[in-house]
């Protein structure tokens, strides 16, 4: 099973709200990723967790706060977002981030709209 | 700095045609190259992964080739079907990119007409 699940599928939030996106995988992967994708553009890497520790932060604004409670779960906490943060947020996982030959598997994404 | 280019940006073909999608990259120092498919508003589905030491990979009607020295990869789709309509993205994992992160091309939007 090569499935990465994400909830919710759609999220509409105001600029003063706090919400969270959730990602889960049960493939035993030890690397998990958050990407942001705008319409007609390729995904942009936001964060990488390796063995439950933050490995890469691509200079993402602090209104996005990632969390990796265990090896199967990845959250993205959202606070005081701007309308330009509206996008498709994709989660991905791979067997081991440090072994660079491994394939990345993506979830279906959460469509976020900030009003 | 690694840059990935996909040509054409969009392609429309009649059903049954064989077709080739192109991906080029500027730095040949890569670990691997991955081809993805993305349906509108959906996540990415991994199609094929080619390691830097490999020349090609096949899965069903799909065949991907890699020429690392010239910085090129092609995705060949045989006997195209309307269900193949989607955006196809290639991504390279560069040796000198931080943490080996994926660098994506802009994608080719494929439409297969019945």
């Amino acid at each position: 099973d090569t499935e990465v699940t994400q909830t919710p599928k759609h999220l509409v939030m105001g600029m003063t709200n706090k919400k969270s996106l959730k990602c889960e995988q049960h493939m035993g992967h030890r690397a998990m990723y958050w990407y942001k994708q705008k319409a007609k553009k390729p995904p942009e890497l936001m964060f990488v967790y390796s063995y439950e520790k933050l490995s890469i932060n691509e200079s993402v604004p602090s209104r996005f706060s990632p969390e990796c409670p265990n090896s199967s779960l990845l959250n993205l906490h959202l606070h005081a977002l701007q309308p330009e943060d509206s996008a498709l947020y994709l989660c991905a996982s791979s067997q081991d981030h440090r072994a660079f030959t491994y394939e990345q598997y993506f979830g279906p994404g959460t469509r976020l709209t900030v009003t | 700095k690694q840059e990935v280019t996909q040509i054409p940006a969009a392609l429309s073909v009649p059903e049954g045609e064989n077709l080739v999608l192109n991906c080029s990259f500027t730095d040949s120092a890569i670990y691997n190259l991955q081809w993805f498919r993305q349906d509108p508003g959906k996540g990415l589905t991994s199609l094929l992964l080619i390691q830097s030491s490999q020349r090609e990979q096949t899965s069903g009607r799909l065949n991907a080739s890699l020429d690392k020295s010239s910085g090129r990869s092609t995705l060949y789709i045989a006997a195209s079907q309307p269900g193949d309509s989607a955006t196809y993205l290639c991504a390279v994992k560069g040796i000198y990119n931080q943490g080996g992160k994926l660098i994506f091309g802009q994608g080719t939007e494929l439409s297969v007409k019945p």
Side-chain angles (χ1 to χ4, degrees):
Chain A
D1 184 14
T2 56
E3 189 179 26
V4 177
T5 59
Q6 291 186 243
T7 55
K9 290 184 180 179
H10 302 276
L11 178 62
V12 180
M13 60 185 291
M15 290 189 284
T16 58
N17 292 157
K18 287 185 181 181
K19 296 286 184 184
S20 296
L21 309 184
K22 180 180 172 181
C23 173
E24 197 164 0
Q25 56 87 16
H26 295 288
M27 296 178 277
H29 289 175
R30 302 312 300 267
M32 297 186 76
Y33 311 77
W34 280 116
Y35 289 83
K36 172 183 177 180
Q37 187 179 26
K38 303 284 272 185
K40 302 289 188 182
K41 296 290 186 183
E44 298 174 6
L45 183 66
M46 300 174 72
F47 303 104
V48 180
Y49 271 83
S50 179
Y51 288 80
E52 298 147 55
K53 293 192 184 326
L54 184 63
S55 176
I56 296 175
N57 177 340
E58 290 284 296
S59 302
V60 178
S62 60
R63 57 186 184 269
F64 295 91
S65 176
E67 178 197 20
C68 190
N70 60 57
S71 60
S72 300
L73 277 174
L74 186 65
N75 298 320
L76 186 62
H77 303 296
L78 314 172
H79 172 56
L81 294 192
Q82 304 296 310
E84 60 264 29
D85 296 322
S86 298
L88 181 68
Y89 287 83
L90 295 164
C91 175
S93 71
S94 66
Q95 192 161 347
D96 188 328
H97 169 62
R98 296 170 302 177
F100 298 132
T101 57
Y102 289 119
E103 189 171 358
Q104 283 191 28
Y105 296 92
F106 282 75
T110 293
R111 172 68 62 190
L112 174 67
T113 303
V114 182
T115 60
Chain B
K1 178 187 173 188
Q2 177 74 269
E3 292 182 0
V4 180
T5 304
Q6 291 186 247
I7 294 174
L11 181 63
S12 182
V13 300
E15 182 177 3
E17 216 173 83
N18 302 326
L19 59 100
V20 173
L21 306 181
N22 297 295
C23 173
S24 61
F25 47 96
T26 55
D27 186 348
S28 61
I30 63 170
Y31 288 110
N32 57 48
L33 184 145
Q34 200 167 348
W35 281 95
F36 295 92
R37 169 192 172 132
Q38 186 173 32
D39 294 294
K42 306 292 186 183
L44 277 65
T45 300
S46 180
L47 298 174
L48 290 163
L49 172 74
I50 311 178
Q51 303 294 354
S52 63
S53 59
Q54 297 175 320
R55 299 284 288 183
E56 65 178 282
Q57 284 284 345
T58 298
S59 176
R61 293 183 295 110
L62 305 179
N63 177 277
S65 69
L66 175 64
D67 184 342
K68 201 173 63 166
S69 61
S70 67
R72 292 183 179 180
S73 176
T74 61
L75 179 67
Y76 174 82
I77 302 177
S80 59
Q81 303 169 358
D84 295 330
S85 298
T87 296
Y88 290 79
L89 292 152
C90 70
V92 299
K93 188 173 285 185
I95 291 173
Y96 301 115
N97 292 123
Q98 181 193 10
K101 74 178 189 181
L102 289 177
I103 305 297
F104 284 88
Q106 295 291 314
T108 294
E109 189 173 354
L110 174 66
S111 176
V112 181
K113 305 292 188 186

